[in-house]
Amino acid sequence: MNLFCKKNIDLHVHTNFSDGTFTPEEVVAYAIKSKLSAIAITDHDCIDGIVPCELAAQNTDLEIISGVELSAEINDFEIHIVGLLIDYKQDWFINKLKEIRLARLERMKKMIEKINQLGIDIKLEEVKVLCKDDGAIGRLHLARALFNKGITSSLREAFDRFIGANGPCYVKRFILSPKEVIEMIRNLNGIPVFAHPGNMRHDEAIPELISYGLMALEAFHTDHNQRKSQHYTSLAKKYNLLLSGGSDCHGDGKGFPLMGRVKVPYKILEKMRKTKNIEF
Ligand code: AMP
Ligand code: MN
Ligand code: MN
Ligand code: MN
């Protein structure tokens, strides 16, 4: 594949409808500035940022691809599945996401309670103001609130000291099975992608995910070095899966905007669309 082809895309981007800091207008402006031809809006458990991005991209050459990032638990570990090219305007899906986001809010209350029990003063309202109403509230918002208050000197420290998966204030959230997540995306005529598999470190789960209908591996990702990208490119070949790639940009949420920093050729999107036309 010619990685130097002119048209580049980014198939993993967050807005402030989940834990990104960019509004849809800022996402679109940054994508255009980065000379991207297409971006997928893949907020955690929320599709409400897609239409505003489409509106912001009207009368520009930027294509907006519908997407979502869902979490699942497999043998006690968490994995993320990105759904791309989804027909998302379906009541059952919108209601399901609402339910998941409500569970996120309840889980946030529990994490805050645990932090308070350590003698640290932080209130739900101080976290909620960092997230859109009805958006997907999560640990990155809580980390930002702790940092803003000077309780930690970085976001990373918030994860290391309090809310990382092994931290004292971490609370698991309501989570679906990979079968449910993958079937949901297939029911939306979308392409289920195993997101940042290099971070997940559970390659052995791939055959099981394929048995549920997994269609792609996110071989190209900010956290993948060249060796990892090559590794997942060959695994995709071995299992006859599509390739995907994106920056996982969270606006300034992870320090600085990552959009466009992972080079993903437009061909990857064309191949997905072709496969979708054949399969669905
Ligand atoms: P949640 O979905 O609420 O469990 O939060 C997970 C999100 O927090 C991920 O999508 C990342 O954006 C962010 N995150 C997780 N671990 C870290 C970390 N160690 N440092 C910075 N951000 C993290
Ligand atoms: Mn995130
Ligand atoms: Mn993820
Ligand atoms: Mn993500």
Side-chain angles (χ1 to χ4, degrees):
M1 189 162 295
N2 177 13
L3 291 175
F4 301 102
C5 75
K6 281 201 194 95
K7 283 173 92 176
N8 284 311
I9 61 175
D10 189 330
L11 296 179
H12 193 153
V13 175
H14 293 269
T15 75
N16 63 345
F17 281 83
S18 67
D19 52 0
T21 59
F22 282 174
T23 62
E25 292 73 24
E26 287 166 338
V27 162
V28 165
Y30 202 90
I32 291 169
K33 195 175 120 191
S34 309
K35 301 196 167 32
L36 291 167
S37 298
I39 56 170
I41 306 304
T42 57
D43 278 312
H44 301 283
D45 307 326
C46 190
I47 43 93
D48 299 352
I50 301 170
V51 169
C53 284
E54 282 171 352
L55 290 174
Q58 259 179 2
N59 307 320
T60 77
D61 291 331
L62 180 71
E63 276 179 67
I64 302 297
I65 309 302
S66 60
V68 70
E69 182 171 11
L70 301 171
S71 312
E73 195 173 85
I74 182 162
N75 307 329
D76 250 9
F77 56 83
E78 185 178 322
I79 58 164
H80 293 179
I81 303 286
V82 160
L84 294 175
L85 296 165
I86 49 174
D87 301 338
Y88 58 93
K89 289 177 186 167
Q90 302 196 37
D91 285 344
W92 66 266
F93 182 58
I94 290 165
N95 290 336
K96 186 79 193 173
L97 293 183
K98 273 213 169 112
E99 196 185 303
I100 296 173
R101 293 201 299 275
L102 271 179
R104 275 182 170 275
L105 187 59
E106 292 308 308
R107 174 246 204 168
M108 182 58 69
K109 289 178 191 164
K110 286 186 195 149
M111 287 196 290
I112 288 172
E113 227 168 76
K114 286 194 167 201
I115 294 177
N116 292 157
Q117 278 164 8
L118 295 179
I120 292 161
D121 171 41
I122 183 112
K123 293 179 188 63
L124 179 63
E125 280 316 310
E126 293 170 300
V127 184
K128 275 181 85 175
V129 291
L130 301 175
C131 180
K132 269 187 114 62
D133 280 345
D134 199 30
I137 198 164
R139 284 182 289 158
L140 203 49
H141 298 107
L142 179 50
R144 208 174 304 136
L146 290 165
F147 170 70
N148 288 349
K149 280 195 99 171
I151 292 163
T152 65
S153 54
S154 67
L155 297 178
R156 199 202 155 116
E157 188 190 334
F159 281 90
D160 290 347
R161 268 175 65 195
F162 303 115
I163 50 174
N166 299 313
C169 306
Y170 174 71
V171 175
K172 256 192 178 180
R173 70 194 147 77
F174 168 77
I175 206 156
L176 302 163
S177 73
K179 184 168 187 280
E180 283 174 294
V181 166
I182 290 170
E183 283 179 358
M184 221 192 294
I185 293 165
R186 293 292 290 254
N187 285 336
L188 300 168
N189 292 329
I191 309 245
V193 183
F194 187 11
H196 40 74
N199 281 351
M200 299 305 185
R201 296 163 191 270
H202 285 286
D203 289 1
E204 76 287 352
I206 293 173
E208 184 178 339
L209 299 177
I210 291 171
S211 77
Y212 305 137
L214 185 79
M215 293 174 70
L217 294 182
E218 193 175 58
F220 312 109
H221 184 273
T222 307
D223 297 339
H224 289 186
N225 57 23
Q226 206 182 356
R227 196 185 54 77
K228 273 194 183 165
S229 298
Q230 276 164 357
H231 170 69
Y232 289 105
T233 302
S234 22
L235 276 191
K237 209 169 194 178
K238 173 176 165 191
Y239 291 117
N240 196 23
L241 293 169
L242 293 161
L243 290 171
S244 186
S247 64
D248 212 351
C249 178
H250 282 68
D252 296 315
K254 292 194 172 172
F256 51 88
L258 300 167
M259 215 189 305
R261 284 180 172 242
V262 179
K263 290 281 167 272
V264 184
Y266 194 84
K267 255 190 201 167
I268 280 188
L269 178 59
E270 283 174 337
K271 193 137 190 235
M272 277 185 191
R273 285 198 164 121
K274 224 185 217 170
T275 307
K276 194 175 134 126
N277 285 340
I278 296 165
E279 295 247 342
F280 303 124

